[in-house]
């Protein structure tokens, strides 16, 4: 009775909502978010390089540089987060037995992502892409999904590992 | 305004103590009292927003560690500690939905 009464009052007054938050294992894992984040880093580097070559920047150029560096930084963190989630939540003993390089590869991605964040350096960003692509290749292999490499159809037009989902 | 308010609970991390869609009666000023382990608290969490959790412990730094009651709850270490200023009130009564 009390519940019904409170519910009626809620309909009128709209009580605030409290979340009793859950962390249900959803099993939704895909390295594509990390791969796209690396592409963003490369793209940011491509856009930053002309600014880097200039001896001085106008106010507009400084504003542009800040925005680009911000995005590069954000996506460097995103790469780390996305890879860590797959590594921590999905990768378990069977995958590690099959691919013992996974721990070292993940650690190398963390280091390479830091390098890509610290510098405006295309080589550092490309190294990160190679590592993340390898991670994606292993990820799909552990799911018995074959992969293919193709150029992404947008800038920075780099090679990505994609899952072959239609066979 | 009245020194208390109602909130609706979504999610099941506090089940069975607070089943999903329950209403809770929250008294904000009760947080000034000594909160004991097991107290149900309304908290503003920097990551999860407004949540309701149970007080797991108060550490030596005076920080409050929270936990859920259901196995699907975000674990205590993932929730992390919160300061007293983030506690928005103490849940005094729970009104669960009809079975």
């Amino acid at each position: 009775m009390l519940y019904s009464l409170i519910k009626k009052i809620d309909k009128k007054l709209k009580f605030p909502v409290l979340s009793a938050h859950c962390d249900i294992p959803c099993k939704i894992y895909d390295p594509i978010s990390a791969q796209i984040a690396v592409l963003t880093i490369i793209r940011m580097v491509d856009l930053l390089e002309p600014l880097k070559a200039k001896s001085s920047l106008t106010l507009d150029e400084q504003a542009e540089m800040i925005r680009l560096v911000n995005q590069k930084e954000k996506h460097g963190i995103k790469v780390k987060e996305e890879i860590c989630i797959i590594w921590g939540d999905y990768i378990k003993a069977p995958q590690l037995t099959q691919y013992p390089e996974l721990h070292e590869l993940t650690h190398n991605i963390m280091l390479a992502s830091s390098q890509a964040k610290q510098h405006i350096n295309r080589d550092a960003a490309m190294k990160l892409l190679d590592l993340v692509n390898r991670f994606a290749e292993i990820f799909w292999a552990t799911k018995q999904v074959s992969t293919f490499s193709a150029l992404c159809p947008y800038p920075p037009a780099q090679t990505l590992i994609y899952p072959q989902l239609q066979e | 305004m009245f020194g208390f308010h109602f909130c609706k609970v979504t999610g099941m991390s506090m089940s069975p103590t607070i089943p999903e869609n329950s209403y809770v009666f929250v008294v904000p000023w009760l947080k000034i009292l000594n909160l004991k382990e097991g107290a149900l608290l309304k908290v503003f969490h920097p990551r999860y927003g407004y949540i309701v959790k149970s007080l797991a412990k108060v550490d030596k730094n005076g920080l409050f560690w929270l936990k859920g009651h259901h196995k699907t709850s975000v674990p205590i270490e993932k929730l992390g500690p919160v300061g007293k200023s983030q506690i928005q009130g103490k849940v005094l009564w729970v009104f669960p939905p009809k079975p």
Side-chain angles (χ1 to χ4, degrees):
Chain A
M1 184 188 152
L2 261 178
Y3 181 86
S4 307
L5 180 66
I6 297 168
K7 194 173 177 182
K8 275 182 191 165
I9 302 171
D10 180 29
K11 274 187 184 164
K12 289 269 179 201
L13 299 181
K14 300 279 178 218
F15 293 147
V17 173
L18 284 184
S19 172
H21 195 87
C22 295
D23 196 22
I24 299 165
C26 62
K27 296 186 176 177
I28 300 172
Y29 304 111
D30 194 326
I32 193 67
S33 306
Q35 291 170 283
I36 290 173
V38 185
L39 289 180
T40 308
I41 292 173
I42 298 170
R43 179 71 179 141
M44 294 304 106
V45 170
D46 287 349
L47 294 171
L48 278 162
E49 271 179 341
L51 297 175
K52 190 182 173 185
K54 292 187 175 183
S55 55
S56 67
L57 299 177
T58 64
L59 201 59
D60 277 352
E61 285 169 337
Q62 286 180 43
E64 188 189 356
M65 187 195 72
I66 290 166
R67 290 186 68 227
L68 296 172
V69 170
N70 257 335
Q71 286 304 315
K72 187 164 77 70
E73 188 73 19
K74 261 188 200 169
H75 285 82
I77 293 166
K78 190 172 169 66
V79 172
K80 289 188 176 193
E81 283 176 350
E82 295 289 338
I83 295 296
C84 275
I85 288 167
I86 296 176
W87 175 69
D89 293 359
Y90 168 72
I91 305 289
K92 294 189 177 72
Q95 291 84 16
L96 282 170
T97 312
Q98 214 180 346
Y99 294 96
E101 67 184 279
L102 268 168
H103 282 336
E104 196 183 348
L105 177 62
T106 304
H107 187 234
N108 286 340
I109 289 172
M110 299 301 119
L111 296 176
S113 187
S114 294
Q115 282 289 313
K117 284 190 319 131
Q118 283 163 5
H119 308 283
I120 301 172
N121 183 327
R122 205 171 201 277
D123 289 343
M126 290 304 293
K127 185 187 169 191
L128 179 61
L129 181 63
D130 288 344
L131 293 168
V132 173
N133 269 339
R134 175 64 186 147
F135 189 93
E137 201 174 7
I138 293 176
F139 172 83
W140 291 115
T142 63
K143 289 185 162 290
Q144 287 80 49
V145 174
S146 57
T147 51
F148 65 98
S149 55
L151 282 184
C152 62
Y154 39 78
Q158 291 302 321
T159 304
L160 277 200
I161 297 292
Y162 294 99
Q164 184 82 53
L165 298 173
Q166 286 181 322
E167 288 186 327
Chain B
M1 182 178 168
F2 303 108
F4 64 84
H5 59 270
F6 284 93
C7 290
K8 188 176 185 179
V9 177
T10 61
M12 54 186 292
S13 79
M14 286 304 290
S15 181
T17 316
I18 309 177
E20 189 164 18
N21 294 321
S22 294
Y23 289 100
V24 288
F25 181 82
V26 181
V27 184
W29 55 267
L30 277 181
K31 74 172 191 173
I32 62 170
L33 302 179
N34 193 22
L35 296 170
K36 291 184 180 158
E37 286 176 15
L40 301 174
L41 302 174
K42 175 184 175 179
V43 174
F44 181 71
H45 192 279
R47 184 168 178 192
Y48 299 111
Y50 287 97
I51 58 173
V52 59
K53 290 285 168 189
S54 166
L55 178 59
K57 65 171 178 180
V58 184
D59 68 19
K60 60 182 179 183
N61 300 313
L63 294 173
F64 295 77
W65 291 79
L66 309 165
K67 66 175 183 182
H69 284 176
H70 195 265
K71 62 180 179 182
T72 59
S73 174
V74 177
I76 181 170
E77 64 276 13
K78 201 167 170 185
L79 277 168
V82 296
K84 197 158 197 174
S85 62
Q86 288 166 265
I87 297 174
Q88 305 287 306
K90 185 178 175 185
V91 172
L92 263 199
W93 291 305
V94 178
F95 300 92
K98 286 175 192 167

